[in-house]
Amino acid sequence: MSSSPALLDVSQAHARHTEFRIVDVRTPGEYASGHLPGALNIPLDRIGRSLPELREAAETRELLLVCASGPRSQNAARTLAGHGIAATSLTGGTASWSAQGHPLDYPAGGPRRVWAMERQVRLTAGGLVLLGLLLGLLVHPAFQLLGAGIAAGLVFSALTDTCGMAVVLGRLPFNRRR
């Protein structure tokens, strides 16, 4: 098993678009803000529960995994590879796809305005660090440990290429609503 998933850039994926079963691993809220044509939405935190469906899909067509910018789809590809399911990740994700002028599909009601998960994580992490600093100055110095905990989480996230905060944020109602 390879630790690095197979990657395709947007031009390669666009040329072969109809050959793939496209799986968007973003939250439902992000998916509703625009997704590759024909993409199925299976959020990263649901990949494990969707293994039978994904295994069946991979038997008929090659899986192309997509997220906002690439890291989550690569993580999903590694997870699937660990279960014997081959998948390719789109480098640059949906952002690169649309930036190169390729169309996106939207739900029946039109696109939803939802921040990308990376942006939600940055806002939440920054807000918690500021809150910890303010409470540390105004209430008790021990509140500064909140900032230290967030910093440790960010370092762990970078080293493991996982993000526990994204998993938690992905469960919020505005990220789950279809």
Side-chain angles (χ1 to χ4, degrees):
M1 174 181 80
S2 171
S3 61
S4 297
L7 303 172
L8 276 182
D9 66 29
V10 170
S11 60
Q12 295 168 317
H14 185 261
R16 298 179 48 208
H17 178 260
T18 57
E19 298 174 25
F20 294 107
R21 181 60 178 130
I22 301 170
V23 178
D24 191 317
V25 299
R26 297 176 300 158
T27 66
E30 290 175 292
Y31 175 83
S33 69
H35 53 272
L36 272 66
L40 170 68
N41 184 219
I42 301 177
L44 181 59
D45 66 340
R46 295 184 193 164
I47 290 289
R49 290 180 284 192
S50 301
L51 288 173
E53 177 183 4
L54 291 166
R55 187 178 314 280
E56 185 177 317
E59 291 173 0
T60 58
R61 291 162 76 184
E62 186 178 349
L63 296 180
L64 178 64
L65 305 179
V66 181
C67 67
S69 60
R72 283 183 281 174
S73 61
Q74 290 178 30
N75 189 356
R78 282 190 292 273
T79 298
L80 292 176
H83 292 278
I85 303 170
T88 301
S89 176
L90 179 66
T91 58
T94 307
S96 289
W97 180 271
S98 67
Q100 291 190 27
H102 302 304
L104 295 176
D105 281 354
Y106 301 96
R112 283 192 53 225
R113 302 302 270 151
V114 175
W115 282 5
M117 187 55 64
E118 291 86 356
R119 187 174 181 191
Q120 292 181 44
V121 168
R122 289 192 308 264
L123 174 71
T124 304
L128 288 172
V129 168
L130 282 175
L131 179 65
L133 289 173
L134 285 172
L135 290 174
L137 289 171
L138 301 173
V139 178
H140 191 277
F143 280 107
Q144 292 177 4
L145 291 174
L146 178 61
I150 296 299
L154 291 171
V155 169
F156 179 80
S157 175
L159 292 173
T160 62
D161 199 22
T162 62
C163 186
M165 188 178 290
V167 171
V168 171
L169 291 172
R171 295 174 193 235
L172 294 176
F174 58 85
N175 281 321
R176 286 287 174 210
R177 196 173 37 210
R178 289 193 183 264

